[in-house]
Amino acid sequence: MELKETERIVVAKPVASRPTLSNFKSFSEFFPSDTNGSPTSEPLITVIRPKTVRFKPVTSSPLDRVSSQAELPVTQACHSSDKILKSNHTSPLLYRPLAKTVSKATIRMLATLGTCNASNEYAVAQNAGSQQEIVKEINLPNVTPVKSGNDKRPQLYKNNIDRPSYDGYNWRKYGQKQVKGSEYPRSYYKCTHPNCLVKKKVERSLDGEIAEIVYKGDHNHVKPRLPRRHAFDGTCQDSNQQLPNNQINDTNEHLGSSSHLNDLVKVQESYNHVSNEAFNASIPKFDCSCGVARVQDGSSKVIMERVDDIPAIKRRKGLNQSNETFVGGLQVPQVVHDGPDSEAVSDGFRWRKYGQKVVRGNPYPRSYYKCTVVKCNVRKHVERAADNPNIFITTYEGKHNHEMPIKKAT
DNA sequence: AGCCTTTGACCAGCG
DNA sequence: TCGCTGGTCAAAGGC
């Protein structure tokens, strides 16, 4: 409340009565680089600048926050990764929800995965005394949002600022508060899955950077195939962070819980194996059109295939590769193909298309296929990624009860 | 139409 | 008992 009122006062303050230069000293102290500009270059902006000290997380390294969790058992593991994490420091944040199990290997993996985004720092902790999971995220100076001309959607969405960090689950915001002692407003989210009581609290700075996320409870359901909204509007930031998250979460869900760390590690490692190069290559330009290999057991099989080794020439004209709409390949929780639709469809089995539909959040129609083999009930649907028509997402339902037909010679 | 966010009000725990 | 605080509710409106 206090903060709110303070903000209100500041914002409402007429330009004519803006503070004298002496009042800005603190800013110049905190942001020495700002002093390069003329002191009168943007006085109005300075006057209404939110109170949030957005650069603070950078200086007070994530490690500080981690260390504040020293009582947590995983802290040790986190520390082991500190060096890795510390090395990357220059780009927007990152988010690793539900990384329940933390080992050195995991930390290494996550750190490696994070390189896609040039850098990210995070600390993961799990409170041993309760079911509460804590994922602290530290944001770094954010990438200035780029406004796209025609997009009517709030810029917030474009940059994933005003929605919960996409972690594969659907969340509904049910409250927001300015919490005392925190410089950021805290948002409260509930999992939208029926009967799922998982909640999370997210603290973001005014420019959308996530300062902290606290999860409460465990999901009692599998991750929805696609988020209901903004399915693929993730930025590189999101994409980068989501893939590992998805893997972590999905793996946890399918394998049980933290006791399956080894399996998780395997998955992660396989991911690293296929994608590290591309990740690294993508760093300078933030082009994260990279895919992933992932296999899950169960009645539904979800596989992701590496897709960004496709020659650039193959990429379609009009494919948005700007920093603003980084391809969500990493975010896609299903099989991802790059290339013509037929490629996505032909996976060795024979399929009969039985439907097509435009689904929410994706301008491209989704095609539905059934396996043509009698008594085989496997189905799949194929769709293009909303923000990258070159990426096909294929979701399988069921298991084939027969061998893969011999491929025709081409 | 359905789902989502926003936001002021309300509630419960605590000192 | 009161005030503070964090968490939740729910109406309104947006997408």
Side-chain angles (χ1 to χ4, degrees):
Chain A
M1 293 292 278
E2 272 182 4
L3 288 177
K4 264 188 178 174
E5 287 172 8
T6 304
E7 276 181 31
R8 240 180 265 139
I9 292 168
V10 173
V11 171
K13 188 175 292 185
V15 176
S17 63
R18 68 181 184 268
T20 62
L21 280 177
S22 61
N23 291 353
F24 298 115
K25 275 184 181 175
S26 58
F27 275 115
S28 60
E29 287 166 10
F30 284 108
F31 313 111
S33 59
D34 287 352
T35 60
N36 293 337
S38 158
T40 58
S41 57
E42 47 177 16
L44 180 56
I45 291 174
T46 306
V47 169
I48 64 174
R49 191 186 294 267
K51 187 177 177 180
T52 304
V53 184
R54 59 198 276 197
F55 289 95
K56 188 173 178 181
V58 181
T59 53
S60 73
S61 119
L63 305 174
D64 296 343
R65 289 174 181 250
V66 173
S67 62
S68 73
Q69 304 272 334
E71 71 279 9
L72 299 175
V74 289
T75 306
Q76 202 174 357
C78 292
H79 281 315
S80 71
S81 67
D82 287 350
K83 289 170 189 171
I84 299 170
L85 299 176
K86 256 183 177 172
S87 63
N88 297 323
H89 231 246
T90 55
S91 82
L93 115 70
L94 276 229
Y95 170 36
R96 312 254 172 237
L98 291 177
K100 297 178 178 180
T101 55
V102 179
S103 69
K104 291 181 181 181
T106 306
I107 292 295
R108 259 198 312 275
M109 279 183 322
L110 294 177
T112 304
L113 294 170
T115 61
C116 178
N117 201 13
S119 82
N120 59 63
E121 302 193 21
Y122 57 90
V124 181
Q126 182 173 8
N127 190 328
S130 72
Q131 285 296 312
Q132 192 174 64
E133 298 165 31
I134 300 170
V135 178
K136 294 252 182 188
E137 305 187 10
I138 293 80
N139 295 337
L140 301 169
N142 62 329
V143 176
T144 303
V146 180
K147 216 153 197 164
S148 69
N150 297 331
D151 196 345
K152 277 185 175 179
R153 272 198 301 188
Q155 190 58 24
L156 295 174
Y157 282 159
K158 267 290 180 193
N159 295 279
N160 292 319
I161 284 173
D162 198 32
R163 61 180 174 112
S165 299
Y166 170 58
D167 54 13
Y169 294 96
N170 296 321
W171 301 95
R172 182 175 57 80
K173 187 174 183 177
Y174 65 90
Q176 178 171 323
K177 275 224 132 173
Q178 181 65 50
V179 177
K180 194 175 184 183
S182 171
E183 54 190 325
Y184 306 135
R186 175 181 296 173
S187 299
Y188 300 89
Y189 297 90
K190 284 177 181 173
C191 179
T192 60
H193 192 276
N195 301 325
C196 180
L197 300 177
V198 176
K199 296 175 183 177
K200 71 175 177 180
K201 297 181 287 189
V202 178
E203 284 185 25
R204 293 176 191 266
S205 63
L206 292 179
D207 43 12
E209 296 172 358
I210 294 172
E212 178 178 332
I213 294 181
V214 177
Y215 286 85
K216 199 172 183 181
D218 287 320
H219 294 278
N220 57 10
H221 56 94
V222 296
K223 191 180 298 180
R225 262 191 319 98
L226 288 173
R228 287 185 188 144
R229 261 178 120 175
H230 320 305
F232 297 101
D233 62 353
T235 62
C236 181
Q237 167 181 324
D238 235 15
S239 301
N240 294 338
Q241 66 200 45
Q242 287 319 321
L243 174 66
N245 294 342
N246 288 346
Q247 288 182 320
I248 292 167
N249 291 340
D250 281 357
T251 305
N252 276 339
E253 284 163 5
H254 286 264
L255 299 177
S257 65
S258 57
S259 62
H260 300 284
L261 174 61
N262 290 339
D263 301 284
L264 167 60
V265 170
K266 284 174 192 168
V267 173
Q268 297 280 7
E269 282 175 348
S270 88
Y271 167 75
N272 287 345
H273 175 68
V274 297
S275 59
N276 267 354
E277 256 184 50
F279 267 128
N280 294 336
S282 72
I283 291 172
K285 50 187 178 183
F286 277 77
D287 180 0
C288 299
S289 314
C290 36
V292 49
R294 180 176 67 167
V295 176
Q296 294 177 329
D297 286 333
S299 59
S300 68
K301 192 173 186 177
V302 178
I303 303 170
M304 296 185 93
E305 297 174 354
R306 184 131 188 81
V307 296
D308 68 350
D309 293 335
I310 283 76
I313 194 171
K314 231 179 143 184
R315 297 179 188 276
R316 297 196 181 180
K317 207 175 180 181
L319 167 63
N320 190 341
Q321 297 186 45
S322 72
N323 290 353
E324 180 186 5
T325 57
F326 302 105
V327 170
L330 289 177
Q331 244 180 330
V332 176
Q334 289 85 15
V335 181
V336 180
H337 285 269
D338 196 329
D341 198 356
S342 59
E343 289 180 18
V345 171
S346 51
D347 51 11
F349 291 92
R350 294 186 182 129
W351 301 94
R352 179 174 56 81
K353 187 172 181 176
Y354 67 92
Q356 180 170 310
K357 186 182 175 185
V358 174
V359 297
R360 191 186 182 94
N362 193 333
Y364 306 104
R366 173 190 295 176
S367 299
Y368 296 85
Y369 297 88
K370 281 180 181 172
C371 180
T372 58
V373 171
V374 184
K375 290 184 180 177
C376 179
N377 294 321
V378 177
R379 299 177 186 210
K380 72 173 181 181
H381 53 251
V382 180
E383 65 190 315
R384 294 172 190 270
D387 52 2
N388 186 347
N390 254 10
I391 290 183
F392 288 87
I393 305 141
T394 303
T395 303
Y396 292 86
E397 294 176 16
K399 269 186 174 177
H400 293 280
N401 54 12
H402 55 91
E403 297 293 319
M404 181 185 294
I406 299 170
K407 275 190 177 177
K408 293 184 286 186
T410 51

